[in-house]
């Protein structure tokens, strides 16, 4: 997908003005509430008309104020998944799924209904009334309905924000299947950097209606570390839990990590660990209350605001710790230094329980 | 407490009038309600007020102006005569036209409220799934508005059944043509035929109760129906 957009839209107390070209099949739009993300996708979908500008998708002009072009939403082949599932309550699950498919031209129909039902695991609910579905089921049906419309671009406007934490990360593999299983490029909108890193490769970062930065999702997370109250979020996939002295032992990249039971629940899963929760020691400490002490090698150093990010290689896994420049001087940290990282067992937070195919998530 | 042939004829005429008016208002009122629910035009206020006028106007005032308009010297009267239809006052179709105006808010307002409560979002969703505006109206807006249509139709039918003032002004009191149930009761009372008036009044009372019962009992099931495939 190649999307080129120049647009300006004035509202009473807000103006969105942007100009960018982005390529790739997994693109994100990141920003806090009120930054203009939803206005941007509405302009792409055609439900909001820019005052001036031009929108070109894969060489086709969708909107041009100078040429007087403004395709209606139904003429753009851009489907959308919304914050609220927005299913049609008068139709069954199956007929919701087929709504866009029936309106799609024969030559554009490439998605197989049975494959979609299998990938999104909708077999058991096909004949059900949509009002009786759980939040996660509704979002999967909404996603399936958008995919079945065979769009050339799928817009996902904060599709996880209405779901609770445990459900949110269970839905992510399904969202990623849009690109991986069905070959449809998507534009994923969110105010969560963790979601961005799990969902997209390239990110457009918006603030107060303007494009601030265009980079990879990983780079954006590192750049934002110094300003974020939660720092950089390390995402770890942990497996094979056992119990030892009241703590849970997880395998991680050939080594092991101890987690407190309250934060680890049960089974393998995806966990987050803030860069602020990692303490670095120059020498192996004699005694320490933190239950995880890892010997690591510094492989990268970067600045983010007033903070310094230290990328560590521990066993075969990688972590990013956050320190202040004074601490870096005291630790004599340079690339190649060996340090010891201490992490409390309670610092980990479970994002999702992974099943047989955790690679779907990462 | 038996109904006479004349009573039955008036009840039949009332049911026929209410049915025809309801069907006409479903066709005429739906686009008006849709426009009022979705427009941002400054005309929304004035047109909404015009639609609601029959709610506050004395029926005799509405009947008087309709009589003038449809009379031989009125603009509608000129038109109907030119078309070879003749004068409409004191005919069944004259009564229908007057009733359509009089019952207009009872069809438009519930529908407008329903369309407003549905909002733009389902239509935008339909559009991003490839539905044209007309397609989205018929496949999304109308099915979602089914409970509103049921309410509006029942209210319109019931209100037309209960008309008196406008009927008397436009239709007069012609048996089989314009003597509807409410006028028949009035006739019985004037002739001191209280037993007959009681019978007719009881029929009207039971009918009104059943209509309201239907509205309260059927509406939840209509909501369920509207969600079914």
């Amino acid at each position: 997908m190649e999307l080129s957009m120049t647009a300006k839209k004035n509202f009473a107390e807000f103006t969105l003005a942007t100009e960018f070209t982005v390529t790739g099949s997994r693109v994100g739009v990141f920003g806090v509430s009120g930054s203009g993300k939803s206005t941007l996708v509405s302009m792409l979908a055609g439900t909001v008309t820019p005052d001036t500008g031009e929108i070109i998708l894969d060489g086709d002009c969708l909107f041009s104020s100078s040429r007087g072009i403004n395709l209606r939403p139904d003429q753009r082949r851009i489907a959308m998944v919304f914050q609220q599932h927005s299913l049609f309550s008068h139709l069954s699950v199956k007929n919701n799924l087929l709504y866009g498919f029936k309106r799609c031209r024969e030559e554009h129909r490439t998605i197989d209904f049975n494959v979609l039902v299998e990938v999104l695991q909708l077999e058991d609910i096909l004949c059900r009334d949509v009002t009786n579905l759980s939040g996660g089921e509704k979002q999967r049906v909404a996603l399936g309905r958008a995919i079945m419309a065979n769009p050339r671009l799928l817009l996902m406007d904060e599709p996880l924000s209405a779901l609770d934490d445990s459900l949110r990360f269970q839905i992510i593999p399904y969202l990623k299947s849009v690109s991986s299983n069905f070959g449809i490029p998507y534009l994923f909108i969110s105010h969560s950097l963790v979601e961005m890193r799990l969902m997209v490769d390239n990110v457009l970062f918006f603030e107060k209606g303007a494009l601030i930065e265009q980079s990879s999702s990983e780079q954006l997370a590192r750049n934002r570390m110094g300003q974020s109250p939660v720092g950089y979020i390390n995402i770890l996939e942990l497996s094979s839990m056992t119990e030892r002295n009241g703590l849970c032992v997880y395998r991680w990249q050939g080594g092991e990590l101890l987690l407190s039971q309250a934060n680890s629940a049960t089974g393998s899963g995806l966990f987050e660990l803030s860069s602020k929760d990692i303490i670095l020691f120059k020498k192996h400490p004699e005694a320490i209350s933190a239950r995880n002490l890892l010997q690591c090698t510094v492989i990268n150093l970067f600045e983010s605001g007033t903070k310094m990010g230290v990328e560590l290689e521990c066993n075969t896994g990688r972590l990013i710790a956050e320190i202040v420049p004074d601490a870096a001087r005291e630790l004599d940290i340079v690339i190649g230094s060996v340090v010891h990282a201490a992490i409390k067992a309670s610092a980990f937070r479970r994002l999702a329980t992974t099943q047989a195919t955790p690679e779907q998530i990462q | 407490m038996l109904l006479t042939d004349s009573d039955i004829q008036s009840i039949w005429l009332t049911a026929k009038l209410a049915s025809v008016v309801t069907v006409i208002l479903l066709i005429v009122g739906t686009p008006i309600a849709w426009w009022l629910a979705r427009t941002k035009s400054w005309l929304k206020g004035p047109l909404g007020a015009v639609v609601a006028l029959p709610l506050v106007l004395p029926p005799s005032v509405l009947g008087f102006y309709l009589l003038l308009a449809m009379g031989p010297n009125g603009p509608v009267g000129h038109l109907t005569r030119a078309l070879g239809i003749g004068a409409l006052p004191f005919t069944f179709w004259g009564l229908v036209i007057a009733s359509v105006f009089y019952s207009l808010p009872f069809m438009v307002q519930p529908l407008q409220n329903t369309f407003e409560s549905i909002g733009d979002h389902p239509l935008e969703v339909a559009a991003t799934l490839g539905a044209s505006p007309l397609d989205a109206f018929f496949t999304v807006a109308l099915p979602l508005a089914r409970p509103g249509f049921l309410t509006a139709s029942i209210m319109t039918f019931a209100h037309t059944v209960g008309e008196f003032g406008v009927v008397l002004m436009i239709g007069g009191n012609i048996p089989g043509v314009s003597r509807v149930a409410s006028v028949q009761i009035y006739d019985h009372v004037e002739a001191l035929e209280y037993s007959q008036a009681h019978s007719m009044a009881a029929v009207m009372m039971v009918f009104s109760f059943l209509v309201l019962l239907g509205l309260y009992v059927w509406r939840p099931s209509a909501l369920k129906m509207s969600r079914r495939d």
Side-chain angles (χ1 to χ4, degrees):
Chain A
M1 177 214 32
E2 182 175 312
L3 173 66
S4 175
M5 185 167 180
T6 308
K8 188 170 183 184
K9 179 75 183 173
N10 283 307
F11 295 97
E13 293 173 351
F14 174 77
T15 297
L16 176 76
T18 186
E19 183 174 354
F20 64 84
T21 298
V22 67
T23 56
S25 59
R26 306 185 334 150
V27 177
V29 179
F30 173 75
V32 296
S33 293
S35 58
K37 307 187 297 292
S38 291
T39 305
L40 180 88
V41 290
S42 297
M43 289 196 294
L44 271 171
T47 53
V48 169
T49 305
D51 296 333
T52 57
E54 194 168 68
I55 302 172
I56 295 174
L57 178 63
D58 293 331
D60 292 336
C61 182
L62 308 180
F63 173 81
S64 173
S65 53
S66 59
R67 288 189 277 164
I69 296 170
N70 187 14
L71 297 187
R72 284 201 321 252
D74 55 297
Q75 297 167 328
R76 296 189 178 200
R77 287 190 61 219
I78 296 178
M80 207 163 164
V81 177
F82 299 84
Q83 285 181 31
Q84 302 295 335
H85 52 81
S86 308
L87 296 176
F88 299 135
S89 59
H90 61 291
L91 297 177
S92 66
V93 168
K94 185 176 180 183
N95 283 302
N96 263 283
L97 290 171
L98 292 173
Y99 188 89
F101 184 75
K102 288 174 183 170
R103 284 153 183 84
C104 172
R105 280 159 61 175
E106 197 77 46
E107 64 264 32
H108 295 140
R109 291 181 180 177
T110 55
I111 309 293
D112 186 295
F113 181 73
N114 295 323
V115 172
L116 176 108
V117 168
E118 191 184 332
V119 171
L120 298 185
Q121 298 181 327
L122 298 170
E123 299 94 336
D124 297 337
I125 59 169
L126 271 185
C127 297
R128 275 171 57 186
D129 188 317
V130 295
T131 53
N132 296 329
L133 302 178
S134 68
E137 287 171 335
K138 283 177 180 172
Q139 203 55 287
R140 268 154 52 208
V141 175
L143 178 66
R145 182 180 62 178
I147 293 171
M148 281 305 293
N150 290 267
R152 55 180 168 177
L153 174 64
L154 180 59
L155 307 174
M156 302 189 203
D157 188 5
E158 307 214 32
L160 305 172
S161 63
L163 304 174
D164 59 45
D165 273 2
S166 60
L167 210 51
R168 184 179 303 173
F169 293 95
Q170 284 173 26
I171 294 290
I172 282 181
Y174 298 111
L175 297 181
K176 291 176 77 173
S177 73
V178 170
S179 169
S180 58
N181 291 58
F182 302 108
I184 300 170
Y186 61 74
L187 202 71
F188 180 80
I189 290 89
S190 177
H191 59 266
S192 160
L193 262 177
V194 173
E195 288 175 12
M196 280 292 155
R197 283 164 56 208
L198 293 171
M199 283 292 299
V200 305
D201 304 314
N202 300 312
V203 182
L204 303 164
F205 173 32
F206 278 82
E207 202 171 74
K208 294 176 184 169
L211 179 65
I212 300 294
E213 185 180 337
Q214 186 171 352
S215 62
S216 72
S217 53
E218 178 60 29
Q219 190 58 50
L220 181 67
R222 292 180 185 214
N223 293 348
R224 299 272 301 157
M225 182 189 76
Q227 300 142 42
S228 167
V230 293
Y232 174 94
I233 299 296
N234 293 284
I235 300 170
L236 291 78
E237 189 193 321
L238 308 181
S239 59
S240 302
M241 187 196 80
T242 55
E243 205 176 317
R244 187 193 302 159
N245 300 330
L247 294 174
C248 296
V249 185
Y250 279 86
R251 290 176 61 78
W252 176 62
Q253 303 288 350
E256 60 178 38
L257 289 171
L258 293 168
L259 277 69
S260 65
Q261 287 191 342
N263 292 319
S264 58
T266 56
S268 303
L270 205 63
F271 291 79
E272 67 173 27
L273 170 67
S274 168
S275 57
K276 291 178 184 290
D277 289 327
I278 302 174
I279 299 171
L280 300 183
F281 294 85
K282 190 173 180 180
K283 293 177 182 166
H284 193 293
E286 202 169 294
I288 187 168
S289 65
R291 292 297 82 195
N292 297 288
L293 190 63
L294 309 171
Q295 182 174 306
C296 314
T297 306
V298 176
I299 57 169
N300 189 23
L301 294 165
F302 59 92
E303 285 181 14
S304 178
T306 57
K307 303 288 174 59
M308 179 170 274
V310 184
E311 190 173 357
L312 306 164
E313 190 169 70
C314 319
N315 301 318
T316 53
R318 289 187 178 185
L319 291 173
I320 288 182
E322 177 184 330
I323 58 175
V324 293
D326 280 353
R329 276 192 293 278
E330 283 178 28
L331 289 166
D332 281 335
I333 281 185
V334 291
I335 293 173
S337 307
V338 174
V339 294
H340 299 271
I343 310 164
K344 293 186 78 161
S346 59
F348 299 87
R349 194 174 76 93
R350 180 182 286 274
L351 294 175
T353 299
T354 47
Q355 302 298 326
T357 55
E359 67 277 7
Q360 280 183 303
I361 288 182
Q362 273 198 313
Chain B
M1 291 281 283
L2 288 175
L3 297 174
T4 64
D5 287 348
S6 173
D7 291 340
I8 292 169
Q9 188 185 46
S10 69
I11 290 172
W12 165 244
L13 184 70
T14 305
K16 186 173 139 189
L17 175 69
S19 302
V20 171
V21 168
T22 303
V23 170
I24 291 175
L25 275 178
L26 274 171
I27 297 165
V28 174
T30 302
I32 296 173
W34 179 250
W35 186 85
L36 285 171
R38 295 184 58 81
T39 188
K40 292 181 175 70
S41 163
W42 64 271
L43 283 170
K44 178 177 179 168
L47 188 69
V50 168
V51 167
L53 260 184
L55 291 174
V56 293
L57 268 183
S60 52
V61 173
L62 187 68
F64 173 66
Y65 282 119
L66 285 172
L67 191 62
L68 289 183
M70 289 194 277
N73 298 319
V76 180
H78 280 299
L79 181 69
T80 52
R81 274 194 303 169
L83 293 171
I85 299 168
L88 286 173
F90 310 109
T91 67
F92 176 74
W93 288 103
L95 210 54
V96 167
I97 291 172
S99 300
V100 162
F101 278 102
Y102 190 51
S103 293
L104 187 65
F106 291 85
M107 177 62 78
V108 171
Q109 290 193 341
L111 284 183
Q112 183 184 343
N113 291 339
T114 304
F115 288 140
E116 281 173 349
S117 69
I118 290 171
D120 291 343
H121 194 56
L123 301 165
E124 288 176 357
V125 174
T128 62
L129 293 168
S132 66
L134 200 62
D135 185 6
F137 174 75
F138 281 109
T139 59
V140 175
L142 283 192
L144 290 177
R146 224 183 292 182
F149 274 99
L150 186 72
T151 305
S153 299
I154 291 174
M155 297 293 287
T156 303
F157 189 91
H159 185 252
T160 309
V161 165
E163 273 179 40
F164 181 72
V166 171
V167 171
L168 218 53
M169 295 288 282
I170 299 293
N173 187 358
I174 305 168
V177 176
S178 60
R179 186 186 287 171
V180 294
S182 56
V183 177
Q184 181 77 349
I185 293 171
Y186 179 73
D187 274 3
H188 284 315
V189 173
E190 271 221 313
L192 303 178
E193 297 165 351
Y194 284 170
S195 169
Q196 295 297 328
H198 266 308
S199 300
M200 284 291 289
V203 168
M204 296 294 281
M205 185 93 104
V206 169
F207 169 77
S208 302
F209 174 74
L210 289 177
V211 164
L212 289 175
L213 187 69
L215 200 61
Y216 285 105
V217 173
W218 291 339
R219 206 167 184 276
S221 57
L223 278 167
K224 279 182 203 156
M225 267 174 55
S226 73
R227 286 185 186 134
R228 219 178 282 157
D229 175 12

